[in-house]
Amino acid sequence: MATYVISDIHGQYDMYIKMLEKISLKDEDTLYVLGDVLDRGPHPIRTLRKLMEMPNAICIVGNHELMALECLKFLMQEVTEEALAGLDRDMLEGYLIWIDHNGGRTTLDEFRTLDAQSRQDVIDFIGEFDIYEEICVAGRDYLLVHAGLGNFYPGKDIEDYSLADLVWSRAEYDIEYYPDKYVVTGHTPTQGITGNPNPGYIYRVNNHIAIDCGCYFRGGRLAAICLDTGEEYYVSRDDA
Ligand SMILES: [Mn+2]
């Protein structure tokens, strides 16, 4: 049995399916998905529903799930006085930022096509995403988290980080967070990491493993890494 990690699928269902084939994921293997399944690409909800059917997939929350969850929950409410009282400036601003700047439209469009029970199932499933995972594979320790360790200081307990620290911050690749543990993150496409000699491929430095290879933009890739072997797998946007 093997342990794989992928991240930032962003609605690229076809690339995701190609990746499952590429790594030949078996029932006894484990696949960690480091968040941002939703938004931007054409099929965020289809991707999410595929993950719902996969007992060996473990999902960790990204900032896009947080944005979506807040808006989708709001839209699911009946129009009561209480619901209307929640329709304040923050809620509306959050909704507009999600739709206009973060690619929420495709998530919303697919969500709308679901029946009421399936909508609730999707919301419940996102609500169960983990915030982080600590695992040991082949004698090496890993922290799996969507974005990074915001407001980091050496020795800080993982429980002392806020949700925003873990899902919204940018990992600091010039800092070694732990001497004895690898931190695997998505969120920041490796095309945009200063000093990365191989933009668009998995970047390993200072006990970081950055795996978001920008599958939602042209020339980008969906990446996976096998933690047992260190082997990297790529599905390029142009192949899917
Ligand atoms: Mn993100």
Side-chain angles (χ1 to χ4, degrees):
M1 58 183 234
T3 303
Y4 298 90
V5 193
I6 68 171
S7 190
D8 294 75
I9 304 168
H10 277 305
Q12 298 292 352
Y13 179 82
D14 293 346
M15 294 175 79
Y16 174 62
I17 297 300
K18 276 216 163 87
M19 181 58 85
L20 293 181
E21 290 164 5
K22 190 160 247 184
I23 63 180
S24 315
L25 190 76
K26 295 167 190 65
D27 288 347
E28 61 270 28
D29 296 336
T30 304
L31 177 69
Y32 288 93
V33 180
L34 300 192
D36 285 4
V37 174
L38 299 178
D39 300 347
R40 293 193 168 131
H43 299 301
I45 298 291
R46 193 187 296 174
T47 309
L48 197 79
R49 281 158 60 85
K50 172 70 182 170
L51 288 166
M52 289 166 77
E53 294 168 0
M54 296 176 58
N56 57 338
I58 298 175
C59 295
I60 291 171
V61 70
N63 53 309
H64 284 264
E65 280 75 50
L66 289 186
M67 285 185 279
L69 191 58
E70 191 161 334
C71 295
L72 296 179
K73 270 182 175 170
F74 186 83
L75 293 169
M76 286 288 283
Q77 296 179 101
E78 284 195 57
V79 187
T80 60
E81 274 304 320
E82 198 189 345
L84 291 173
L87 189 62
D88 58 8
R89 191 166 296 274
D90 283 353
M91 182 66 229
L92 283 171
E93 249 169 35
Y95 176 81
L96 291 174
I97 289 169
W98 180 49
I99 295 295
D100 291 345
H101 300 289
N102 287 293
R105 172 55 70 180
T106 54
T107 302
L108 197 53
D109 282 347
E110 278 197 323
F111 187 77
R112 281 174 46 223
T113 66
L114 303 178
D115 62 42
Q117 184 58 53
S118 302
R119 289 178 187 178
Q120 191 58 51
D121 291 346
V122 160
I123 284 175
D124 292 345
F125 181 67
I126 301 171
E128 288 164 10
F129 280 24
D130 294 314
I131 296 169
Y132 64 87
E133 283 278 345
E134 290 175 299
I135 59 173
C136 180
V137 178
R140 289 180 293 270
D141 290 322
Y142 298 88
L143 170 66
L144 312 179
V145 66
H146 176 63
L149 296 175
N151 297 301
F152 166 82
Y153 58 81
K156 183 172 176 176
D157 194 288
I158 185 68
E159 290 293 325
D160 292 334
Y161 290 94
S162 72
L163 185 57
D165 286 341
L166 302 176
V167 308
W168 275 104
S169 68
R170 295 277 168 206
E172 294 176 86
Y173 299 101
D174 50 344
I175 295 177
E176 183 186 82
Y177 288 144
Y178 304 104
D180 51 359
K181 192 188 298 188
Y182 295 94
V183 180
V184 188
T185 49
H187 189 57
T188 302
T190 65
Q191 286 88 337
I193 300 174
T194 310
N196 175 10
N198 293 305
Y201 294 89
I202 290 172
Y203 180 44
R204 309 181 201 212
V205 68
N206 296 329
N207 288 353
H208 285 270
I209 304 176
I211 64 168
D212 175 5
C213 295
C215 77
Y216 62 89
F217 50 77
R218 210 185 313 150
R221 293 170 194 85
L222 183 63
I225 184 165
C226 176
L227 296 184
D228 307 77
T229 62
E231 194 169 342
E232 301 175 6
Y233 303 83
Y234 296 96
V235 172
S236 91
R237 174 75 184 272
D238 308 324
D239 298 345

